[in-house]
Amino acid sequence: MARVVSQTKSAAVNPLKSSQPLGAAFAFLGVDGAIPLLHGSQGCTSFALALLARHFNEAIPLQTTAMNEAAIIVGGADRLEEAILSLKARTRPRLIGICTTASVEARDEDVVGDVENIKRRRAIELVGTEVVVANTPDFDGAIEEGWSKAVTAVIEATARPDKQYRNPRKIAILPGWNLTVADIEHLRETAVSFGLDPVILPDVSGALDGSIPEEWMPITNGGTKLQEIRDLGATMQCIAIGEHMRRPAEALQRLTGVPYVLFRSLTGLENVDRFIRVLAAMSRKQTPLNVRRNRMQLQDAMLDGHSHMAGKKIAIASEPDQLFQLSNFFAAMGAEIAAAVTTTGTSKALEMVPAKTVKVGDLSDLESLAAMADLIVTHSHGREAARRLGVPLMRVGFPMFDRFGSQHKLTVLYRGTRDVIFDFANIIQANHPPNPGPLDSTDRRESQ
Amino acid sequence: MSSLNAKNKDAFHALASERSGSKGPKARRRNCARPMAPGTAVGGCAFDGAKVALQPITDVAHLIHGPLACEGNSWDNRGAASSGPTLWRTSFTTDLTEIDIVMGHSERRLFKAIREIKDGYAPAAIFVYSTCVTAMIGDDIDVVCKRATDEFALPVVPVNAPGFVGSKNLGNKLAGEALLKHVIGTVEPDEPGLCDINILGEFNLSGEFWQVKPLLHRLGIRVRACIPGDARYLQVASAHRSRAAMTVCSTAFVTLARKMQERWDIPFFEGSFYGISGTSEALRRIADLLVKKGADPSLLHRTEILVAEEEEKVWKRLEAYRPRLEGKRVLLNTGGVKSWSVVHALMEIGMEIVGTSVKKSTLEDRERVKQTLKEENLLFESMSPRELFSLLLERKADIMLSGGRTQYIALKAKLPWLDINQERHHAYAGYEGIVQLARQIDLAIHNPVWPQVREPAPWEPALVVEKRAKREA
């Protein structure tokens, strides 16, 4: 069990975190016809927008209430109302997902109450548009928690209470923020191959998958349909992926009675085996041929790759659930987690990270712990540290702004695990060649 | 907050009162401090503007005092180049938590953070930026910085530009105010010279100022301070001993230039290093100002020789691109200095401008672009993505030049696009730069992907294909 060590410095140096409202906005982007609205100063949105656009290489629909000096003094309710009505009139979204920021939260504004008032007063103008609030101050949490709060808020605001007809084929899947577009598509295909009908929330495989609509779209284009979210109570079972998805899964259960099963990670043979068993049990079907084949390919990759990875020292920094997911995978391939750094110390997943300690900190903490590592695993901001230390970098998570195709990388189930092994082993091989060096290396050996 | 208000007004005052124009001072001030409407706002905040304007000062530790998002979501996103120190690329923030805010620990935390940075990174100075939350809860960064300056014998400079006070543009100006109040004039240079100049509002993106600096060197002109691109703290602190100045991005630092003129009698002009005649003009005016301030008059003659030589060379190099670019239609969606300077540069090589945005442009910028284009309806204010998308199609642009934020508007319309804002990978300044710009536009427009991505899918019925062809025609 890992011991969680909290931050002692007064300044964060090279932050690992991206903010909580960004995480919430990210989740809202997985709902069809949505637009996230950050309630705060203009910069909050501008920064989040630029970072999301750099990561996805896509246009990102995101708006701001543009709090000004007066709003900071007298409160932002008027600007919130103006923003909601303006967005409704201009873009006709089906969902406006409000993410609060540090400025309104530090004022202790009752944004939920404000939105209720606005909805009541402007009921006619807002017909056809859901308005949902996630309380996501920047001074707390990070992407993971923002994501989880937004999904919870959507469920609580729209899912209909229980006593519905339950469709035995229908299941709900609540993926964590660390699943890519490719992961979600793969999850859906796998569930469908068992004859199941999955509703995935949020489903970022719509707006953020690189499709090209004919017209300019000011709102998300693709993702979970609102009607599907309303009908989540008609599913037989909910599958939550990642500890941070426990909160929305519990909200769903509370509202609709749909039971949930939680998978902390879908990467690694054992985790996937358990998942496949659950799908087989729910569908009462034999495991399809393609899934069986994928499992064999994974086993083969494990056999081929393990020797390059055994004993390698990994320094990893990420949000708690992704840290858990990847560090367990590395440990299962025989590598050693030499350093683990994360963004917030509250997640239960951290205790299960296979390292002596997990440090709540920033990339400078990672840098000071990673000097002797064989591999640094973190997002693109780790590039400078990796360069300074001369240790190769495996990019994971968010943001990844200096590599293409992060969304189309597969990281879950048998095939995803196989791909991660390939990635991992190739980086290790490129830096520690498995074959003997050139012949003149004997001279060097003698001289040493 | 009232003092901040007064400062904001002051930052714009110079703009509003100087120079007569057809519009009154009020209208012109509105020009700069455009209100931000909820639900339709675009662009950064004042904090963003302040940080952008100062961060390329390379040996300074830039410490952002606030909750995580302000710095965590925005660091490492601009490509200003440094010829030496890399400290400015390390990100520092107090990353305030709920406890800090509720318990009122934030000022103490800031002070400790300053100490940690001083001990751990030995910066030439520390710049401390306030943000919405810390300004709102009343943290007095001026006092903390003053105390830290005294205690650590290190310049610790407060930059008061919390996001809610206004736009990015205002933030730029507040950054200038911070320099004026706390930095410029605090150090006397060892050997002031008759040919020392300041360049203000040049960011050295992708190292582009290094394409201009050698030209100045050849004329014996020394750049005492280029603010902020590739600057050192000491250069900025001694900038008041320069003999003349040029503002490149006037939006950012024209007020600073004006106040330096008032205070230290440093004459300045607004110019640009984009385009051939733009660069030549800038060199001439620098020489002219220096001679007026007492430099050897032969400088004028030497400048003419250099300009003639360089222009001849560059026109020869551009010949390869001219036939490929002549008559191609460009839509520019950028701001400030680029709204007119790049327009001018592109027209020089024979391209047609079908529109240019004048967001974030000063009044002078606008006047210049009007004079260059001679058609007022080609100018537009900032637009919603949908409007921009339609404009691209309506005006049949062959390429859009803009920043990363709007790139997908062109790319999703399956149109060529080139980055000319802060994230670009190529240097477009000086004589060298215009050749690079022509080359990059040529590569973008004539890339073989365009016909491929516009090809209809094999399953699309002929009718749809025809309809689209008609719309695109």
Side-chain angles (χ1 to χ4, degrees), chain A residues 254-297:
Chain A
R254 199 168 59 238
L255 275 166
T256 65
V258 173
Y260 75 89
V261 50
L262 184 107
F263 291 87
R264 283 222 173 98
S265 158
L266 290 185
T267 306
L269 185 69
E270 280 179 65
N271 295 325
V272 187
D273 279 350
R274 195 162 75 88
F275 179 72
I276 294 297
R277 258 184 235 120
V278 168
L279 288 189
M282 282 189 309
S283 65
R284 300 204 184 82
K285 279 218 167 132
Q286 292 279 317
T287 304
L289 278 179
N290 63 330
V291 177
R292 293 169 188 227
R293 204 175 137 73
N294 289 161
R295 189 173 192 274
M296 282 194 295
Q297 289 174 344

Side-chain angles (χ1 to χ4, degrees), chain B residues 92-157:
Chain B
F92 300 99
T93 169
T94 47
D95 185 12
L96 295 185
T97 62
E98 191 161 12
I99 300 285
D100 297 315
I101 295 167
V102 174
M103 306 297 285
H105 285 165
S106 51
E107 285 184 350
R108 202 177 321 156
R109 192 178 169 110
L110 172 62
F111 190 79
K112 279 160 71 181
I114 292 171
R115 191 206 316 267
E116 280 172 18
I117 293 169
K118 186 211 84 164
D119 291 345
Y121 298 87
I126 300 176
F127 284 16
V128 176
Y129 300 75
S130 68
T131 60
C132 289
V133 168
T134 51
M136 190 172 90
I137 62 179
D139 277 8
D140 194 336
I141 65 166
D142 288 66
V143 168
V144 177
C145 289
K146 174 86 178 48
R147 219 189 106 203
T149 303
D150 297 344
E151 193 152 319
F152 305 137
L154 173 81
V156 182
V157 176

Side-chain angles (χ1 to χ4, degrees), chain A residues 8-15 17-19 22 37 41-44 46-51 53-54 57-59 63-69 72-73 79 82-83 86-87 90-91 102-103 106-107 138-140 210-216 218 363-364 381 383-384 388 401, chain B residues 1 4-5 8 36-45 47-48 63 67-77 89-98 101 109 112-113 116-117 121 132-133 136-137 163-165 167-168 384-386 389 405 408-409 412 414 423 468 471:
Chain A
T8 49
K9 292 185 301 189
S10 298
V13 181
N14 298 337
K17 270 189 273 188
S18 296
S19 74
L22 186 150
L37 172 66
S41 301
Q42 189 160 266
C44 305
S46 161
F47 293 146
L49 179 69
L51 198 57
R54 285 171 84 202
N57 290 306
E58 292 288 338
Q63 255 304 335
T64 172
T65 56
M67 295 267 282
N68 57 11
E69 214 164 335
I72 288 284
I73 297 164
R79 294 189 84 80
E82 200 182 330
S86 156
L87 279 180
R90 274 190 309 119
T91 65
S103 345
R107 292 192 80 255
D138 305 277
F139 48 69
D140 201 13
S211 48
I212 306 177
E214 287 285 304
E215 301 293 322
W216 178 256
L363 290 173
S364 76
H381 281 311
R383 58 192 178 156
E384 291 285 316
R388 279 191 290 264
F401 48 75
Chain B
M1 221 165 279
L4 190 62
N5 232 336
N8 297 350
M36 306 167 292
T40 55
V42 284
C45 59
F47 158 72
D48 187 13
L63 170 61
L68 177 93
C70 307
E71 174 67 357
N73 290 356
S74 70
W75 69 288
D76 195 13
N77 66 356
R89 294 199 60 188
T90 301
S91 162
F92 300 99
T93 169
T94 47
D95 185 12
L96 295 185
T97 62
E98 191 161 12
I101 295 167
R109 192 178 169 110
K112 279 160 71 181
E116 280 172 18
I117 293 169
Y121 298 87
C132 289
V133 168
M136 190 172 90
I137 62 179
F164 59 74
V165 300
S167 63
K168 193 168 172 177
S384 78
R386 196 204 293 268
F389 188 83
R405 235 185 291 241
Y408 301 104
I409 297 169
K412 294 284 174 181
K414 299 178 182 171
E423 287 156 36
R468 187 188 303 163
R471 201 180 53 205

Side-chain angles (χ1 to χ4, degrees), chain B residues 78-93:
Chain B
R78 294 177 76 90
S82 165
S83 57
T86 53
L87 185 61
W88 71 283
R89 294 199 60 188
T90 301
S91 162
F92 300 99
T93 169

Side-chain angles (χ1 to χ4, degrees), chain A residues 84-97:
Chain A
I84 291 171
L85 294 176
S86 156
L87 279 180
K88 168 73 181 171
R90 274 190 309 119
T91 65
R92 270 167 279 145
R94 288 181 278 286
L95 175 89
I96 297 176

